[in-house]
Amino acid sequence: DAGVIQSPRHEVTEMGQEVTLRCKPISGHNSLFWYRQTMMRGLELLIYFNNNVPIDDSGMPEDRFSAKMPNASFSTLKIQPSEPRDSAVYFCASSLVGLAPEQFFGPGTRLTVL
Amino acid sequence: RKEVEQDPGPFNVPEGATVAFNCTYSNSASQSFFWYRQDCRKEPKLLMSVYSSGNEDGRFTAQLNRASQYISLLIRDSKLSDSATYLCVPLYNQGGKLIFGQGTELSVKP
């Protein structure tokens, strides 16, 4: 079975550029979560969706960050414009809320903003 | 008070040792709990789910004390491959939101 798929796996960009991270959740899961992980702050929840609807975006650091989930099999996290302090590993996870709340994580996107 | 508190470690133990990690959580409404392990530069992976007072899976045992809002993970006969960071994770709400602790680092030495 395919797990959560994220792309790209690594991204290096310059300050001010737009960055788009992509995620395909596990088929059949109804919830999707975006996290960011740094050494200083650990694993932080940015936003999550239930049935493609954003439920809680209180973790999104600022307006430069936006996330969409146009359908059950795809989500994007966009940063525009990017800044060096956005450098982190971004994880996507999915789960079947209501039956099995365990979240399964993708391999992450390692973002470096120069 | 932090929502989830864990001893960051590191715990340095020899192979074959028994080691226990503790975790306290602040949300008394949390009903389900999980332990994840995370290897360096990798994604967190589910180790164990705890829905009642505890769970056991091979060398791993989790115990939950709801009255004290405390959960523990015991690893028996530790292996080199157990070296990782262990994350204590309460389920925050019915929407599936999880609250991740900062993790406890374990290093198992030969």
Side-chain angles (χ1 to χ4, degrees):
Chain A
D1 287 344
V4 176
I5 299 172
Q6 291 188 248
S7 64
R9 295 292 303 276
H10 301 273
E11 177 82 27
V12 180
T13 191
E14 293 186 346
M15 184 173 65
Q17 296 297 305
E18 177 179 296
V19 175
T20 299
L21 311 181
R22 297 172 176 80
C23 176
K24 177 179 170 56
I26 292 172
S27 177
H29 279 188
N30 59 8
S31 297
L32 183 140
F33 305 80
W34 282 102
Y35 293 88
R36 176 173 70 175
Q37 187 172 39
T38 62
M39 287 293 292
M40 290 296 293
R41 302 174 67 90
L43 195 61
E44 304 173 277
L45 177 65
L46 301 177
I47 184 171
Y48 73 97
F49 298 82
N50 285 164
N51 297 312
N52 313 338
V53 176
I55 301 300
D56 182 353
D57 65 354
S58 60
M60 297 285 260
E62 45 197 276
D63 292 346
R64 296 185 298 106
F65 286 69
S66 62
K68 294 181 179 179
M69 191 165 185
N71 57 61
S73 58
F74 184 66
S75 177
T76 58
L77 179 67
K78 186 176 293 187
I79 309 172
Q80 166 63 17
S82 58
E83 296 182 3
R85 59 191 167 125
D86 301 330
S87 297
V89 180
Y90 291 81
F91 290 108
C92 175
S94 71
S95 70
L96 185 57
V97 170
L99 288 177
E102 293 86 347
Q103 291 180 17
F104 296 90
F105 284 73
T109 295
R110 187 169 298 276
L111 174 65
T112 302
V113 183
L114 302 174
Chain B
R1 182 183 175 186
K2 288 183 181 178
E3 292 189 82
V4 181
E5 295 200 58
Q6 295 184 252
D7 182 341
F11 284 59
N12 296 304
V13 303
E15 263 187 299
T18 295
V19 61
F21 306 137
N22 301 321
C23 169
T24 57
Y25 59 95
S26 62
N27 183 4
S28 59
S30 292
Q31 294 295 311
S32 305
F33 302 83
F34 309 97
W35 282 98
Y36 281 75
R37 69 168 280 168
Q38 186 173 24
D39 294 280
C40 187
R41 301 173 75 86
K42 299 279 191 178
E43 72 272 25
K45 291 187 176 178
L46 180 68
L47 178 67
M48 184 175 290
S49 304
V50 184
Y51 293 107
S52 57
S53 61
N55 194 5
E56 185 172 333
D57 183 4
R59 298 182 294 111
F60 298 85
T61 301
Q63 293 283 346
L64 172 62
N65 184 324
R66 293 185 190 276
S68 302
Q69 294 181 212
Y70 165 96
I71 186 167
S72 65
L73 178 68
L74 183 77
I75 304 176
R76 291 180 296 277
D77 187 23
S78 52
K79 312 290 185 191
L80 297 176
S81 57
D82 294 335
S83 297
T85 296
Y86 290 82
L87 302 161
C88 170
V89 190
L91 178 64
Y92 183 81
N93 63 21
Q94 296 305 312
K97 180 176 179 178
L98 300 181
I99 303 296
F100 282 81
Q102 287 285 84
T104 296
E105 184 183 346
L106 172 66
S107 179
V108 181
K109 307 293 187 183

